[in-house]
Amino acid sequence: MTYNGVANMIDPNRITKLAKFLFAATPLPNQAGINPLLGPNLITPTLIPTTQNTTSIRIDHRFSEKDLIFGRFTYGTNDHWLGTTVMLPIDIGDYPNAVAASNRHWPNHTGALTWVHTFSPTMTNEVLVNASRDYQWRGSGDKHTNYAAALGLPNPFQAANWPNFTNFGLTSPTSTGTYPYGTAGLFWLVSNFGLIEDNATKVHGKHEFQFGFHIRDEWIGKSANSTAGSFDAGTLATSLYDPASTAASPQALPLTGFGLANFELGVLNYNAVVPAPLV
């Protein structure tokens, strides 16, 4: 491949809009003298902005000499960017300038109710009800924007999350050959917990009797698939044909071709996995 008589150069008119868009948003190297084929040539500090909020409501009320009620509801959130990679200046979706970082949204709800009833000086009953729901979501970008469509990429399942790009042939801090932004796939972890308990106490003479029941239910759901899919630049599209191979089984000449050039030309392999929904 030549351009204006220069070997191994791509005609700028053949470079895809996606490649131009991502490269324009990628910070320039700041480590002089490092070959990107051998090691990372960009090292930067990463911020981890965090926002935490907790709101609680509590009620204590004695309805009568025989009935006492206690109730509490708490709602909390924990939102932060994990900062596993440098944030890119891409203004798409809910997280402008940080679309390719790994974002975490972690709300939780807890509630408790206690009712104490006195039947007589020798008998009391306590009813306890507890419930909680912990929902953790994290991934690159937000969880509803169709980033692939915004980038002009196929997305047959209309999935959210930032797509993954692999096999560029470059060395990144996270993994060799992977474009080091947007590699955190969607992840959900949901924990539901419920408890109903009754405790009765009866005093008879010198004896004390305690009886009741305890019902507990727990449900945990997890999904860790990148639903936006992965675009693989290791297609050998820019490799030379190995003349030692046959037309029935063509092979690429070893040590030829470059994944980054395949990406610039838009010759990629695509695969996606759709996880089962959580309830």
Side-chain angles (χ1 to χ4, degrees):
M1 181 178 296
T2 62
Y3 175 68
N4 285 343
V6 180
N8 296 320
M9 178 173 289
I10 299 176
D11 183 345
N13 291 324
R14 297 186 61 187
I15 299 177
T16 64
K17 293 182 179 179
L18 171 64
K20 292 178 179 179
F21 178 78
L22 290 182
F23 295 156
T26 303
L28 295 176
N30 58 12
Q31 302 298 305
I34 296 181
N35 186 337
L37 299 178
L38 303 177
N41 59 6
L42 173 65
I43 300 177
T44 61
T46 302
L47 300 176
I48 307 179
T50 301
T51 302
Q52 294 179 323
N53 294 290
T54 301
T55 302
S56 293
I57 300 174
R58 171 172 174 155
I59 298 175
D60 292 275
H61 184 68
R62 183 178 293 277
F63 288 92
S64 67
E65 293 182 354
K66 294 185 176 182
D67 294 286
L68 174 65
I69 294 289
F70 155 76
R72 177 187 56 79
F73 175 77
T74 300
Y75 173 70
T77 59
N78 184 356
D79 296 278
H80 68 276
W81 294 327
L82 296 180
T84 53
T85 62
V86 177
M87 300 176 186
L88 296 186
I90 296 176
D91 191 6
I92 302 176
D94 292 345
Y95 301 101
N97 301 319
V99 69
S102 183
N103 310 297
R104 174 179 288 178
H105 177 59
W106 198 339
N108 58 80
H109 304 74
T110 61
L113 178 67
T114 302
W115 172 31
V116 179
H117 178 73
T118 302
F119 289 96
S120 69
T122 61
M123 184 173 181
T124 60
N125 188 75
E126 179 187 50
V127 178
L128 304 174
V129 179
N130 288 300
S132 68
R133 177 177 174 84
D134 188 87
Y135 177 91
Q136 178 187 163
W137 168 85
R138 68 173 179 257
S140 299
D142 58 42
K143 59 181 178 180
H144 58 81
T145 297
N146 192 333
Y147 291 101
L151 296 173
L153 296 171
N155 189 7
F157 303 109
Q158 302 301 306
N161 207 49
W162 186 261
N164 193 18
F165 303 99
T166 63
N167 282 327
F168 277 29
L170 302 174
T171 300
S172 75
T174 52
S175 59
T176 301
T178 299
Y179 187 66
Y181 307 103
T183 56
L186 286 175
F187 175 92
W188 293 272
L189 179 60
V190 180
S191 300
N192 294 325
F193 170 82
L195 168 69
I196 300 176
E197 183 175 310
D198 185 89
N199 300 304
T201 301
K202 173 65 177 177
V203 177
H204 182 72
K206 296 182 179 180
H207 302 281
E208 180 179 292
F209 301 93
Q210 293 183 344
F211 49 92
F213 63 86
H214 178 101
I215 300 175
R216 177 173 177 170
D217 180 68
E218 293 186 51
W219 182 89
I220 298 176
K222 179 180 180 181
S223 173
N225 290 319
S226 179
T227 59
S230 179
F231 294 85
D232 185 353
T235 56
L236 304 178
T238 55
S239 299
L240 298 177
Y241 173 73
D242 188 351
S245 63
T246 64
S249 180
Q251 302 293 324
L253 190 67
L255 303 179
T256 63
F258 189 25
L260 185 62
N262 302 335
F263 176 76
E264 291 180 345
L265 294 173
V267 186
L268 308 170
N269 290 324
Y270 172 72
N271 69 83
V273 178
V274 179
L278 296 178
V279 295

